[in-house]
Amino acid sequence: MPTDAAPKILARNVAAVRRFADPARVAASVTGNPASTRLESGVGNCFPGLECDLRNLERRFLPFLEVDILDSGIRLVGVDTDGIDAARNDGTLSSEEAKAYDDLAAALAAGLAIVVTDLAGTFGILGPLSFDPRTLPVSGVSTGEGRLPSDTWTAVRLLTEGTDVEVRFEISVVGTSVTVKTRRARYLDDNGALSAAFLPGELTQSLCSPWTHDFRDCGCFYWATNHPDIVQPVYPAAGPPADPQPWQAAVPWQRLDRSRLPDPPLPATGDARPSELRHYEINQRWEELHFVVGRREITAPFVAEAVRGEPFSSLAVLLAQLHYAVGVELAVAQEYLSAAYSLKADDDPTLGGTPGLRDDVRATRAELMRIAIGEMRHTRAVNDVIRGLMPAGTYAPALRVARAVPHAGPGSYRPVQPRAATRQAITDFIEIEAPSAGVDGLYVDILETLVNPPADLRPVAIPEWSEAIGSVIAEGEDHYQTFLDIQEWLGAHPEATYLRAVNPPRPTPGQPEHDALQGSYAGVLELLHSGYAKGRFEGATEINGARAAMVRPGGLDTLAHAVAQKGFLVAFDDIADPRFAPIDPPPAPPVA
């Protein structure tokens, strides 16, 4: 089982991929980011000092304008004159509307202060309101009809996207004001990426620099998870030594003496001279803190390993592999759900007898469910790629579950095995998600085919599909790392202490809870099929309905719990409908 493979680091930033992509390599030309850059891998709240400051979104809630949202109001700080000129020229902005922006730009250029004195619009659940934001925050409790938002940032946040907004700006010349009537700006484009209005780095520009004081002040308990903490030291200049053992030790990233080997450990010398940098030393020496890749500090420029596979010989072979890839996503999602529901419930009194057991079980369940949801996202992404590659009017949704999944190397497969979260099951999950193995190896070949397409694919191959498959590969790296964590968490406990049963029986036909689960599952597949068939945007109603059917009271989640509580394994029966019937691995494909 490859647990020491080099990390696969692919770009997660769509803007970076599109701006810096090499036409010959498309999505693979940008070094990119580790899997831990996903939002769920970090603290990701609305305060500075962490991964991002979401308050920066609201700085551009009005088209063409940039504001600062203060505790006592809203101040104008920028006007996009180039954007205004372009909108005026193409007719999307009238001369009268453009003049209001021109007046604001001229006042800013003259160094005059400009603040909002009236904000009118639709404020979410509070409905239509008009008020002076300088009157916020509201003293006391804001209740009842016509109540105001609690503070200025919340007010702007509540404004409904795409609705009419009227804003009166007061310029610091007595009696001078400008009123702008517009629509609440969109923060995302049609592809789900940040609007072009946001500059690179804008969401992080208000964070602490160099992002190290939070760690020291909070004693590591509030440190963003994708930042270094305990690391392995940089190898000697000559490279990995013959005996790498001394360099495998864990050391503090902010250690004071960076020249010493970690063995023996650096001792603390009393409060006057601790082993880690003190706050003022961080200010002086923060640039000495090394970059960390794969838990190890590095000092040389990082060069990512090329993500390369073997391209398929034709569009038909590629489509067969994509259909099978969807089947693998659905199959492993089922296996992960079986494992998640096999864990004891959070309120099971037997979990309280071992320190840390309840938390380990809770964390494992949450991560298994998150990964299963991720596989469903992959199902959607690969279906979008299939649609994009097929001639117009010929696409049919791919929703057949694989009968066997990749295992132990190219051309090897194992049957799909719904089972409890035993040690062997977790080991198999690690195997299938491992870099360049299992399903990852399948996607690497698919990506290589999209990057270097065969002759019959070139007319339809576009970067969007390479980006989609690259994202699936990067998320697979996240799943792999998470299963390694789960292995560590559960490895500290006997299987019988955290499982409802080590080998729970599969329900027999006619078992009512199981039959109800199968009916709900078939309904979810019907909704997904209908939604996928309509398209990425037209099918939103059905796809949202499928999501709701999974998590609403009485839905798939409730029914699966009922099966588990009866002592049975949560599993999903094969479906005879040809749209959902099991799919076998395709024959070994010829290479291009």
Side-chain angles (χ1 to χ4, degrees):
M1 181 182 64
T3 59
D4 56 353
K8 188 165 284 162
I9 301 180
L10 299 177
R12 307 305 304 276
N13 183 330
V14 173
V17 171
R18 293 177 179 170
R19 180 168 182 176
F20 299 108
D22 176 353
R25 291 296 304 159
V26 193
S29 65
V30 184
T31 296
N33 320 101
S36 60
T37 53
R38 289 189 59 79
L39 182 60
E40 61 262 31
S41 298
V43 178
N45 65 16
C46 302
F47 296 92
L50 304 170
E51 286 88 349
C52 63
D53 187 348
L54 295 182
R55 297 174 301 180
N56 290 329
L57 290 172
E58 270 58 61
R59 300 176 71 246
R60 298 188 183 275
F61 80 99
L62 296 171
F64 310 119
L65 301 178
E66 179 183 356
V67 302
D68 276 346
I69 299 177
L70 312 173
D71 291 339
S72 57
I74 303 172
R75 180 178 63 197
L76 183 67
V77 296
V79 180
D80 178 12
T81 54
D82 290 340
I84 293 165
D85 289 341
R88 179 168 25 211
N89 293 336
D90 66 19
T92 57
L93 199 63
S94 69
S95 298
E96 181 182 357
E97 292 170 325
K99 183 181 183 305
Y101 292 108
D102 291 340
D103 291 344
L104 292 173
L108 276 182
L112 301 176
I114 306 175
V115 298
V116 175
T117 57
D118 190 74
L119 180 62
T122 302
F123 294 84
I125 61 174
L126 302 184
L129 293 172
S130 178
F131 56 86
D132 184 343
R134 295 174 299 178
T135 63
L136 304 178
V138 177
S139 59
V141 179
S142 177
T143 59
E145 187 174 351
R147 65 190 185 277
L148 296 178
S150 57
D151 56 77
T152 310
W153 183 81
T154 300
V156 174
R157 188 71 173 166
L158 284 172
L159 280 168
T160 305
E161 181 181 288
T163 59
D164 293 332
V165 181
E166 182 173 323
V167 186
R168 186 173 71 243
F169 293 94
E170 183 177 289
I171 304 173
S172 60
V173 175
V174 177
T176 303
S177 66
V178 174
T179 298
V180 172
K181 296 181 180 180
T182 184
R183 286 185 174 271
R184 171 70 147 83
R186 294 181 63 190
Y187 295 154
L188 302 179
D189 62 19
D190 289 338
N191 292 316
L194 276 178
S195 163
F198 294 96
L199 302 176
E202 189 162 349
L203 288 186
T204 58
Q205 66 184 10
S206 56
L207 301 187
C208 297
S209 180
W211 303 341
T212 50
H213 285 88
D214 286 339
F215 173 63
R216 294 301 308 274
D217 289 341
C218 300
C220 189
F221 295 109
Y222 204 46
W223 186 235
T225 55
N226 61 358
H227 292 178
D229 179 356
I230 303 300
V231 299
Q232 293 175 336
V234 65
Y235 279 136
D243 178 15
Q245 195 279 330
W247 280 267
Q248 305 301 325
V251 296
W253 180 54
Q254 297 190 42
R255 61 192 181 279
L256 182 63
D257 185 352
R258 312 191 69 78
S259 64
R260 290 189 52 173
L261 288 177
D263 186 19
L266 297 176
T269 57
D271 293 340
R273 195 63 175 165
S275 62
E276 295 188 69
L277 295 171
R278 292 179 289 191
H279 293 90
Y280 78 91
E281 291 173 311
I282 292 174
N283 292 335
Q284 296 171 340
R285 300 173 55 185
W286 62 269
E287 70 276 11
E288 297 177 22
L289 299 172
H290 299 143
F291 287 98
V292 179
V293 177
R295 293 191 62 211
R296 183 171 299 284
E297 296 176 329
I298 62 171
T299 54
F302 173 72
V303 179
E305 292 186 1
V307 180
R308 290 188 179 276
E310 294 292 337
F312 300 127
S313 60
S314 67
L315 174 59
V317 175
L318 173 62
L319 288 172
Q321 296 292 327
L322 286 167
H323 278 79
Y324 173 62
V326 170
V328 173
E329 299 289 358
L330 292 170
V332 296
Q334 290 185 6
E335 289 194 340
Y336 300 159
L337 290 173
S338 296
Y341 290 110
S342 74
L343 298 168
K344 291 181 178 179
D346 290 344
D347 59 358
D348 190 311
T350 63
L351 295 178
T354 304
L357 176 59
R358 192 184 306 277
D359 288 341
D360 288 338
V361 169
R362 183 185 293 116
T364 298
R365 179 183 296 105
E367 290 300 291
L368 282 168
M369 297 299 288
R370 179 180 70 83
I371 293 174
I373 292 169
E375 309 302 357
M376 294 303 298
R377 285 202 303 263
H378 297 175
T379 298
R380 170 74 179 275
V382 179
N383 265 279
D384 287 342
V385 174
I386 294 172
R387 177 198 299 279
L389 296 178
M390 296 186 71
T394 63
Y395 165 76
L399 287 168
R400 299 177 63 188
V401 181
R403 200 186 304 271
V405 296
H407 181 71
S412 298
Y413 303 92
R414 66 164 175 81
V416 175
Q417 303 174 52
R419 54 196 150 149
T422 60
R423 303 204 195 302
Q424 183 58 52
I426 302 302
T427 298
D428 287 346
F429 297 164
I430 293 171
E431 181 74 47
I432 198 170
E433 300 284 3
S436 301
V439 69
D440 182 79
L442 171 62
Y443 279 120
V444 167
D445 291 343
I446 290 172
L447 176 62
E448 190 68 30
T449 309
L450 293 171
V451 172
N452 295 298
D456 61 349
L457 177 57
R458 289 192 180 99
V460 294
I462 58 176
E464 181 179 353
W465 311 132
S466 299
E467 293 165 11
I469 297 301
S471 179
V472 171
I473 293 173
E475 291 187 17
E477 172 80 9
D478 168 72
H479 297 174
Y480 168 69
Q481 295 293 338
T482 301
F483 279 126
L484 290 177
D485 291 336
I486 290 174
Q487 186 180 59
E488 179 180 347
W489 301 337
L490 297 184
H493 311 288
E495 291 176 342
T497 63
Y498 62 82
L499 293 174
R500 296 175 186 266
V502 174
N503 188 23
R506 186 161 181 155
T508 56
Q511 204 280 326
E513 286 79 11
H514 175 74
D515 289 349
L517 176 63
Q518 305 314 304
S520 178
Y521 173 60
V524 167
L525 290 179
E526 287 285 356
L527 286 169
L528 290 176
H529 190 279
S530 177
Y532 289 176
K534 290 183 178 180
R536 285 200 284 177
F537 302 109
E538 292 83 354
T541 299
E542 289 80 1
I543 292 171
N544 287 333
R547 292 171 180 158
M550 295 179 194
V551 299
R552 71 188 175 203
L556 201 70
D557 179 60
T558 302
L559 297 172
H561 274 296
V563 172
Q565 288 169 352
K566 288 289 185 178
F568 293 108
L569 178 71
V570 171
F572 299 90
D573 296 337
D574 292 345
I575 298 177
D577 187 322
R579 299 172 300 166
F580 312 127
I583 183 172
D584 291 313
V591 296

